[in-house]
Amino acid sequence: MSKNIFLNRRSFVKYSLQLAAGFGLSGPMTSYAALFKQPLTFYHTHTGEQLKLKYSLDGWKSSTLNKLNYFLRDFRTGDVHPIDPLLLDILYGIRAKTGSRGIIEIISGYRSPKTNKMLQAKSGGVAGKSLHLKGQALDVRMTDLKTGKLRDVAVSLARGGVGYYAKSDFVHIDTGRFRTW
């Protein structure tokens, strides 16, 4: 068996699984390819910066992930950290289930240890081993979804942790084990 056949077979399996997952998330009327043609548009509530990301069927390009890492940096310290691209897949899953095309408002992305300690001192609700420290968590809103609906859909995906902060009007999503609060 030649290497090219193996790689082609591997690619076929990879894309077939992605396609099957897309139909499972989006229902029969929305194609997976059409879903991923829609860019994710972000607005950072603390910096005022905006970012638009397009998905490629080849996966997330390193240049795209570098832009995302910078955009989701610790806005208090300027520290940049790699962000788990599975967070983007969760956001696409939420969009697929809701039909949302709204702007994703970022309240918090990566958090440096210094920032996390400062926030812990101010509030008992900040975890000492927060997944924000590993680039595996986002605190978000979506401009065309109520945060209660955003929470419900994120929970239905069961793809990581989901926290609901109704008073502060945001939802925490992460790529850790499935749990809710």
Side-chain angles (χ1 to χ4, degrees), residues 133-145:
L133 294 162
K134 296 180 177 184
Q136 292 180 283
L138 297 174
D139 296 335
V140 300
R141 289 187 285 262
M142 295 176 88
T143 57
D144 61 349
L145 287 180

Side-chain angles (χ1 to χ4, degrees), residues 46-84:
H46 295 285
T47 66
E49 296 171 329
Q50 296 180 11
L51 179 68
K52 191 177 279 195
L53 299 180
K54 290 186 180 180
Y55 185 78
S56 161
L57 285 178
D58 295 329
W60 294 102
K61 296 180 181 186
S62 62
S63 61
T64 299
L65 292 176
N66 288 339
K67 289 177 189 175
L68 180 72
N69 295 342
Y70 180 77
F71 180 78
L72 295 174
R73 71 195 178 278
D74 183 327
F75 67 91
R76 291 174 178 92
T77 66
D79 294 348
V80 177
H81 189 277
I83 300 299
D84 188 344

Side-chain angles (χ1 to χ4, degrees), residues 8-119:
N8 288 337
R9 203 174 279 164
R10 176 183 279 176
S11 295
F12 174 78
V13 170
K14 174 185 168 187
Y15 295 130
S16 296
L17 290 172
Q18 289 176 339
L19 184 62
F23 283 126
L25 289 173
S26 62
M29 298 307 290
T30 305
S31 81
Y32 186 67
L35 169 70
F36 279 97
K37 285 183 182 178
Q38 295 293 324
L40 291 175
T41 304
F42 297 92
Y43 171 78
H44 200 295
T45 61
H46 295 285
T47 66
E49 296 171 329
Q50 296 180 11
L51 179 68
K52 191 177 279 195
L53 299 180
K54 290 186 180 180
Y55 185 78
S56 161
L57 285 178
D58 295 329
W60 294 102
K61 296 180 181 186
S62 62
S63 61
T64 299
L65 292 176
N66 288 339
K67 289 177 189 175
L68 180 72
N69 295 342
Y70 180 77
F71 180 78
L72 295 174
R73 71 195 178 278
D74 183 327
F75 67 91
R76 291 174 178 92
T77 66
D79 294 348
V80 177
H81 189 277
I83 300 299
D84 188 344
L86 292 177
L87 289 165
L88 299 175
D89 295 339
I90 292 170
L91 292 170
Y92 266 114
I94 292 167
R95 286 178 47 154
K97 284 195 120 179
T98 63
S100 169
R101 295 296 180 258
I103 296 169
I104 301 161
E105 294 181 342
I106 300 295
I107 289 83
S108 183
Y110 169 70
R111 250 189 242 148
S112 68
K114 179 181 177 181
T115 293
N116 208 62
K117 280 184 183 180
M118 181 269 299
L119 293 173

